[in-house]
């Protein structure tokens, strides 16, 4: 009984100490962020008087010290400047603060210019830019293609991409393709607007905005880059699903293929539904894709899928055409090689 009681006391004291340490660490984080923010404001006023204004500061995690401070730019409402600063160490980005701030301002202005160029390219050809990935590599635009218009819409958006897209990515590597996400105009109108005082680049790349745009099925279009130039006619669109819709779609497709295999190959087992379902040319209500299967299911061995069933389905996953078997879709290294993927 004494040991139990002592254990409880010791456990209770340990819990108190753990909580105290956690609170102390959290408090230190707040204090550190405040001092980093104060130092950043002082640095900005000394180096860019009247130009940079601190918007926010957040503790860097899992880094043990320092903060990321975000500035607005007085003469460029589109731009945001991000600076990593550690006031205690007297460094920014682990180096001299003056140089780091100059480089951060240059990056911020350049990124704002890139966003303006992207927005102008799509606006000029009639499509509203409603968002962009943080690296500004994949725009989100509003459009409502139909079977009658999808070929024209993809080509028009491809022309926008050709005007906007640089030949190389942010790492300097040649681009092989460029992706554009197409969201329904109604969903685009419902998107969160963000703070009107926030720099445009922050509002257009905000995670909350991108999450709202992706919360319903939408199209992702891939355009091929040839000799450094986007081919507007090369656009191929696939349907992107939110997680729950993806699960329901894959279950419907998988069940249909499983039922079909049961009548033609009773011993076969379904492995997986392919990830990308491309729009059949000239349609928005017919998707083409694959389901992997094995010749024999069970026996304790996992069915990875050596063959595939190719089929067309509607956006809910219901088959709308014939099934086609493609055998031996894995190469010598076990990688799946399928047409159109």
């Amino acid at each position: 009984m004494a040991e139990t009681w002592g254990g409880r006391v010791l456990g209770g004291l340990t819990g108190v100490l753990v909580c105290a340490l956690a609170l102390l660490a959290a408090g230190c984080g707040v204090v550190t962020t405040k001092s980093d923010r104060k130092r950043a404001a002082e640095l900005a006023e000394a180096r860019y008087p009247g130009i940079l204004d601190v918007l926010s500061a957040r503790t860097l995690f899992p880094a043990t010290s320092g903060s990321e401070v975000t500035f607005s730019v007085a003469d460029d409402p589109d731009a945001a400047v991000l600076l990593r600063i550690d006031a205690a160490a007297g460094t920014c980005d682990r180096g001299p603060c003056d140089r780091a701030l100059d480089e951060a301002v240059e990056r911020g202005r350049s990124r704002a210019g890139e966003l303006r160029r992207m927005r102008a390219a799509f606006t000029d050809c009639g499509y509203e830019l409603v968002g962009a990935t943080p690296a500004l590599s994949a725009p989100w635009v509003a459009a409502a293609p139909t079977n009658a218009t999808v070929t024209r819409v993809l080509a028009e958006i491809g022309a926008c991409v050709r005007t906007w897209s640089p030949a190389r990515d942010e790492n300097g590597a040649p681009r092989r393709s460029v992706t554009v996400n197409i969201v329904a105009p109604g969903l685009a109108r419902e998107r969160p607007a963000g703070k009107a005082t926030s720099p445009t680049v922050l509002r257009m790349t905000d995670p909350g905005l991108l999450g709202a745009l992706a919360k319903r099925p939408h199209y992702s279009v891939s355009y091929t880059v040839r000799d450094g130039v986007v081919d507007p006619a090369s656009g191929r669109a696939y349907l992107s699903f939110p997680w729950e819709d993806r699960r329901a779609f894959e279950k419907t497709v998988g069940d249909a293929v499983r039922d079909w295999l049961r009548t033609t190959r009773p011993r076969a087992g379904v492995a997986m539904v392919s990830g990308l379902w491309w729009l059949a040319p000239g349609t928005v209500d017919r998707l083409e894709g694959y389901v992997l299967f094995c010749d024999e299911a069970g026996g304790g061995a996992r069915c990875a899928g050596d063959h595939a069933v190719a089929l067309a389905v509607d956006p809910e996953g219901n088959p709308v055409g014939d099934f086609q078997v493609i055998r031996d879709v894995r190469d010598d290294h076990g990688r799946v090689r399928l047409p159109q993927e």
Side-chain angles (χ1 to χ4, degrees), residues 200-274:
T200 309
V201 72
L202 295 185
R203 287 188 281 111
M204 295 291 281
T205 61
D206 181 74
L209 166 66
L210 300 183
L213 295 175
K215 72 179 181 179
R216 296 181 193 167
H218 58 276
Y219 303 116
S220 294
V221 190
S222 177
Y223 293 92
T224 302
V225 177
R226 296 187 175 94
D227 299 324
V229 179
V230 170
D231 178 2
S234 66
R236 295 182 62 231
Y238 62 89
L239 196 58
S240 292
F241 299 91
W243 172 243
E244 290 299 326
D245 290 345
R246 160 63 65 179
R247 288 182 60 190
F249 176 86
E250 290 183 348
K251 183 179 187 307
T252 301
V253 174
D255 287 348
V257 170
R258 191 174 290 106
D259 291 344
W260 181 78
L261 286 172
R262 194 174 291 126
T263 64
T264 59
R265 294 167 174 78
R267 297 173 63 87
V270 170
M272 63 171 289
V273 178
S274 67

Side-chain angles (χ1 to χ4, degrees), residues 7-328:
R8 288 175 181 168
V9 172
L10 182 59
L13 288 173
T14 301
V16 170
L17 287 172
V18 169
C19 290
L21 289 172
L23 288 171
L24 181 60
C28 288
V30 171
V31 171
T32 299
T33 300
K34 285 183 178 179
S35 62
D36 290 339
R37 178 174 182 145
K38 181 174 181 292
R39 177 65 187 117
E42 293 170 348
L43 178 67
E45 186 56 29
R47 198 150 186 87
Y48 294 90
I51 298 297
L52 300 183
D53 185 39
V54 174
L55 291 177
S56 64
R58 67 179 184 89
T59 302
L60 292 174
F61 183 83
T64 57
S65 61
S67 307
E68 182 182 73
V69 177
T70 302
F71 304 87
S72 60
V73 183
D75 58 359
D76 189 345
D78 293 331
V81 173
L82 277 61
L83 177 70
R84 293 192 170 197
I85 183 168
D86 186 345
T91 60
C92 297
D93 286 332
R94 299 186 178 183
C97 281
D98 286 355
R99 183 181 67 192
L101 182 58
D102 290 346
E103 292 172 352
V105 169
E106 183 179 352
R107 286 194 302 270
R109 289 189 184 278
S110 175
R111 192 163 177 244
E114 177 61 22
L115 177 64
R116 284 190 288 269
R117 200 164 68 84
M118 177 191 290
R119 183 172 53 194
F122 285 93
T123 300
D124 288 349
C125 60
Y127 290 90
E128 180 188 7
L129 182 72
V130 296
T133 52
L136 302 182
S137 57
W140 286 76
V141 301
T146 65
N147 284 350
T149 65
V150 63
T151 301
R152 172 178 59 80
V153 168
L154 295 188
E156 289 175 349
I157 292 176
C160 307
V161 177
R162 182 177 58 186
T163 300
W164 154 70
S165 180
R168 296 181 178 272
D169 64 20
E170 61 273 15
N171 297 316
R175 292 182 184 272
R176 298 177 60 185
S177 63
V178 179
T179 297
V180 178
N181 298 299
I182 301 177
V183 66
L187 183 58
R189 286 191 293 271
E190 297 171 3
R191 70 189 186 278
K195 294 182 179 179
T197 55
S198 292
T200 309
V201 72
L202 295 185
R203 287 188 281 111
M204 295 291 281
T205 61
D206 181 74
L209 166 66
L210 300 183
L213 295 175
K215 72 179 181 179
R216 296 181 193 167
H218 58 276
Y219 303 116
S220 294
V221 190
S222 177
Y223 293 92
T224 302
V225 177
R226 296 187 175 94
D227 299 324
V229 179
V230 170
D231 178 2
S234 66
R236 295 182 62 231
Y238 62 89
L239 196 58
S240 292
F241 299 91
W243 172 243
E244 290 299 326
D245 290 345
R246 160 63 65 179
R247 288 182 60 190
F249 176 86
E250 290 183 348
K251 183 179 187 307
T252 301
V253 174
D255 287 348
V257 170
R258 191 174 290 106
D259 291 344
W260 181 78
L261 286 172
R262 194 174 291 126
T263 64
T264 59
R265 294 167 174 78
R267 297 173 63 87
V270 170
M272 63 171 289
V273 178
S274 67
L276 299 183
W277 285 77
W278 300 94
L279 294 186
T283 74
V284 295
D285 56 6
R286 187 182 180 97
L287 313 175
E288 297 175 335
Y290 303 87
V291 177
L292 298 180
F293 75 94
C294 305
D295 284 324
E296 294 193 21
R302 180 176 174 272
C303 171
D306 298 315
H307 319 295
V309 174
L311 70 160
V313 300
D314 66 19
E316 284 71 46
N318 302 297
V320 293
D322 296 333
F323 296 76
Q324 178 189 358
V325 171
I326 304 174
R327 296 192 62 81
D328 302 319

